[in-house]
Amino acid sequence: GGMPLVGVISPDCPPPFLEGLTGDTERGWTGLLPERDRDALEGLGDAWPEADEAGLGEAGWWSARFGPWHGLWHAAPRGWSPMPGHGHQDCGGFELHYRNEPLFVDPGRGAYGETGEAALYRSGAVHNTLLVDGLDPYPANKPYYDEEFRRRFGGPPPEVTRFEDGIGLTHHGYGRLGHVGAVTRRWRFSGRDFTIADRVEGRTGVRAITRVLVTPHAADLDEGAVTIQREGAAWRVRFDGECSLRPLTHWRAYGQGTPATAIEITVTADLPWEGTLTVEAV
């Protein structure tokens, strides 16, 4: 379904400049190279080793294919957004394609800044993740925090597990709220369907739990289900809780975007809590 674009897309490197790295060296910036250099680059590409899954995991990335589904998951190695940098609040965020169609995406960010829309697109509210009381999965990171402080308020590093039929994630970023424990998400794929089983540990007190899914397609809300539609294809999301649809922008390059939809599913419940989302290709 194309190259996933995650996070802030720098104006210094528009995505089309990277197209030559996907195989056709006459495209993108590689198309500006002399023919001998393009030939050398192709030869270098043939010698590249297979991706080192362990190394990717240490850097916070997991890529996996399950039947017609192909996903990319991200969780910063320490949970906290990287610092220094423009880290987003996307612990457990993912991009998921069905065959050649992006279904759930990272919306990116159209401009730099610390307020307004620039800040919104860096927050957990526009990433495919789970929020407790509308708060980001981790506190805002600061360069003067030491590792002992981060561990005290963010808990141990996230744990990601690859299963035969899916991916699992556990993080402790909400421990800072008091009486809120680990958040566990489990993606399980079966043919044309998949589920996300969520659990939030904790005790004493009602919490609002919001699960966000961002799709680059149009969506319609019916009772107990959301239908995502694109010419020649459709998917249905079944859920428990209250659901709303919010228009977003899917940023395809710096300052350039196309319409997208945020599916927001909220449950108010005592902890511990469990819930499941089901997505099926129809």
Side-chain angles (χ1 to χ4, degrees):
M3 182 186 299
L5 303 175
V6 178
V8 177
I9 303 168
S10 171
D12 300 329
C13 186
F17 260 42
L18 304 178
E19 290 180 353
L21 299 179
T22 63
D24 183 357
T25 57
E26 294 186 4
R27 304 174 65 183
W29 69 268
T30 55
L32 304 176
L33 299 174
E35 184 176 357
R36 65 178 183 277
D37 288 346
R38 293 202 304 271
D39 291 341
L41 182 62
E42 291 177 358
L44 179 64
D46 293 338
W48 288 344
E50 292 295 322
D52 178 4
E53 289 193 11
L56 288 173
E58 290 174 1
W61 297 95
W62 289 264
S63 177
R65 186 185 298 275
F66 304 97
W69 303 96
H70 194 188
L72 179 69
W73 286 260
H74 179 244
R78 293 179 177 85
W80 296 68
S81 299
M83 178 63 66
H86 300 278
H88 289 202
Q89 286 282 358
D90 59 351
C91 182
F94 63 97
E95 176 147 330
L96 190 65
H97 296 189
Y98 181 78
R99 296 186 176 137
N100 292 324
E101 194 69 56
L103 179 57
F104 299 119
V105 298
D106 185 303
R109 186 162 74 144
Y112 296 109
E114 299 301 321
T115 60
E117 191 173 83
L120 171 67
Y121 278 85
R122 199 169 67 180
S123 73
V126 298
H127 289 86
N128 298 317
T129 186
L130 181 150
L131 310 178
V132 176
D133 289 347
L135 301 174
D136 289 332
Y138 280 82
N141 206 352
K142 304 294 180 181
Y144 43 80
Y145 292 165
D146 63 17
E147 289 307 310
E148 180 182 353
F149 180 89
R150 292 190 179 98
R151 180 62 64 90
R152 188 190 314 163
F153 289 95
E159 180 180 347
V160 179
T161 306
R162 185 191 296 266
F163 298 96
E164 183 176 343
D165 63 348
I167 296 288
L169 164 80
T170 299
H171 76 82
H172 297 77
Y174 286 112
R176 68 190 190 274
L177 301 183
H179 305 303
V180 178
V183 172
T184 300
R185 310 201 82 186
R186 173 78 157 85
W187 292 261
R188 180 177 282 108
F189 296 86
S190 177
R192 295 161 58 88
D193 306 342
F194 79 92
T195 59
I196 306 177
D198 294 312
R199 180 174 173 87
V200 181
E201 304 288 351
R203 58 186 175 85
T204 64
V206 174
R207 300 288 182 173
I209 299 161
T210 302
R211 291 160 289 175
V212 182
L213 295 171
V214 177
T215 179
H217 310 307
D220 295 312
L221 176 60
D222 297 319
E223 187 175 349
V226 172
T227 300
I228 301 170
Q229 299 185 43
R230 181 168 172 80
E231 184 178 354
W235 301 265
R236 185 170 293 117
V237 182
R238 300 189 183 279
F239 56 87
D240 54 312
E242 299 294 326
C243 181
S244 62
L245 305 179
R246 180 159 58 100
L248 287 181
T249 300
H250 185 200
W251 297 105
R252 310 298 298 169
Y254 191 82
Q256 302 175 25
T258 55
T261 306
I263 304 169
E264 300 175 338
I265 301 161
T266 300
V267 175
T268 301
D270 288 308
L271 301 184
W273 167 88
E274 292 184 347
T276 300
L277 302 177
T278 300
V279 180
E280 55 183 346
V282 295

